[in-house]
Amino acid sequence: MHKLLDLHPEVASALAGGRPVVALESTIISHGMPWPHNAETALAVEAEVRDHGAVPATVAIIDGRLKAGLAREEIERLGRGGGQVVKASRRDIPVLVARAGTGATTVAATMAIAALAGIRVFATGGIGGVHRGAEVSFDISADLQELARTSVAVVCAGAKSILDLRLTLEYLETHGVPVVGYRTDRLPAFFTRDSGFGVDVRIDEPQEVARVMKAKWDLGLEGGLVVANPIPVEHALPRERVDRAIEQALAEAQAHGISGKAATPFLLGRVNALTGGDSLAGNIQLVLNNARLAGAVAVAYAALA
Ligand code: PSU
Ligand code: MN
């Protein structure tokens, strides 16, 4: 085990015994939802993973230590801290470790730490991607580079259309990242089930997702997979409403000159505020839905490995 990494005892024993573990990210806690819904949701997501036969490992950096598996108080600390907590992507990891800092890990940083711990399955809400206007701003999430290089399957509800989803799919194709639609041919767009774009391949059973993961990594084809799991029908939001909120959020970001790592949290916060309570409820439900699928994939993968 790496000397800078602390595994929660339950996570350590599951990994040692070859039992299923699901990594969970923490930027979604500090920057993705308001307190106290963020910590409540994080705990509910852990319970959902457990109910589906796997051990949850929420990832963060706490006082300079990489963590796979958090105590309840640590989750509450990240939730209460909200926007004050450093949003930690891959490049922030060494700085936080050297300064004994605390950070909520993005998809990219969570994948890196999960891989270090030996965890192959990760559940979240949505991944980062190529931002609209990236041909000028160059804003492409480090999540995509991480998917290109780090061997972890990321179960998500696609990505929010604050991004340019067409360019995001192109980027993933260039970097050899399979984009799997779980029981769908369409790429979901977080609050909605169909972004208007297709996926690379449709897979209907967790066992087959696990076989694809194993084949990829047994062949030495390092890198991640996107497992896109649409929000349950009954929790999906009307597309026009989401689109309107996104357009307004993008216009506000431009008017305020928001860029760099602040862009995504700003856009997410504004879309949440503009769509109100419905989007928070949908957000919570889709993360729980992803936790269930990730649990099932981790169970299937552990049976193969
Ligand atoms: N998209 C969401 N919710 C989120 C994020 C993205 O719908 O919480 C977070 C994730 O942690 C993701 C990060 O890894 O934002 C991407 O940030 P950036 O675009 O700065 O790489
Ligand atoms: Mn960015």
Side-chain angles (χ1 to χ4, degrees):
M1 226 254 295
H2 199 280
K3 64 180 196 307
L4 296 171
L5 172 66
D6 293 334
L7 297 183
H8 189 282
E10 199 191 352
V11 173
S13 97
L15 289 171
R19 292 192 301 280
V21 178
V22 171
L24 301 164
E25 66 150 305
S26 47
T27 291
I28 191 175
I29 305 177
S30 297
H31 300 271
M33 288 180 200
W35 167 264
H37 302 284
N38 51 12
E40 284 165 9
T41 302
L43 295 167
V45 168
E46 289 196 343
E48 202 71 18
V49 168
R50 255 182 240 291
D51 284 351
H52 289 77
V55 172
T58 303
V59 169
I61 302 170
I62 306 279
D63 302 328
R65 301 289 304 173
L66 310 187
K67 301 277 182 187
L70 297 182
R72 183 193 184 101
E73 307 74 67
E74 291 168 328
I75 287 178
E76 287 174 353
R77 178 171 160 194
L78 295 172
R80 223 183 267 279
Q84 301 303 309
V85 178
V86 173
K87 174 184 156 202
S89 194
R90 166 177 269 260
R91 73 170 180 181
D92 307 296
I93 297 173
V95 180
L96 288 169
V97 167
R99 291 182 174 167
T102 292
T105 49
T106 63
V107 168
T110 303
M111 288 179 77
I113 295 170
L116 209 56
I119 302 170
R120 297 294 210 169
V121 183
F122 163 22
T124 185
I127 57 168
V130 180
H131 281 258
R132 298 201 205 172
E135 66 277 17
V136 175
S137 69
F138 259 54
D139 191 347
I140 300 175
S141 173
D143 293 356
L144 298 187
Q145 272 299 306
E146 204 66 41
L147 280 159
R149 81 213 297 176
T150 301
S151 299
V152 172
V154 181
V155 180
C156 61
K160 282 207 181 92
S161 37
I162 56 170
L163 302 171
D164 187 321
L165 297 179
R166 188 179 71 80
L167 296 188
T168 300
L169 287 171
E170 291 292 349
Y171 195 100
L172 290 169
E173 180 184 359
T174 299
H175 290 279
V177 179
V179 178
V180 173
Y182 183 71
R183 298 187 177 170
T184 180
D185 300 301
R186 314 299 300 165
L187 178 74
F190 204 85
F191 293 125
T192 57
R193 291 172 59 86
D194 183 357
S195 62
F197 300 98
V199 289
D200 175 25
V201 59
R202 170 183 178 143
I203 297 182
D204 288 348
E205 297 305 326
Q207 290 75 14
E208 193 180 3
V209 176
R211 287 199 297 275
V212 171
M213 291 161 58
K214 183 163 162 55
K216 187 177 196 295
W217 299 328
D218 279 356
L219 289 165
L221 299 171
E222 296 306 324
L225 302 87
V226 173
V227 181
N229 186 28
I231 185 172
V233 183
E234 63 275 26
H235 300 294
L237 266 61
R239 185 165 175 170
E240 314 71 58
R241 211 163 135 230
V242 176
D243 285 351
R244 233 181 303 124
I246 286 172
E247 293 302 335
Q248 185 175 335
L250 287 166
E252 289 178 14
Q254 192 159 29
H256 292 100
I258 310 268
S259 66
K261 73 193 283 182
T264 298
F266 177 86
L267 293 169
L268 298 179
R270 289 304 293 145
V271 171
N272 285 348
L274 292 165
T275 49
D278 294 352
S279 72
L280 178 62
N283 198 342
I284 293 169
Q285 290 303 322
L286 70 85
V287 182
L288 291 170
N289 190 47
N290 295 340
R292 286 192 276 279
L293 176 57
V297 170
V299 167
Y301 187 77
L304 293 178

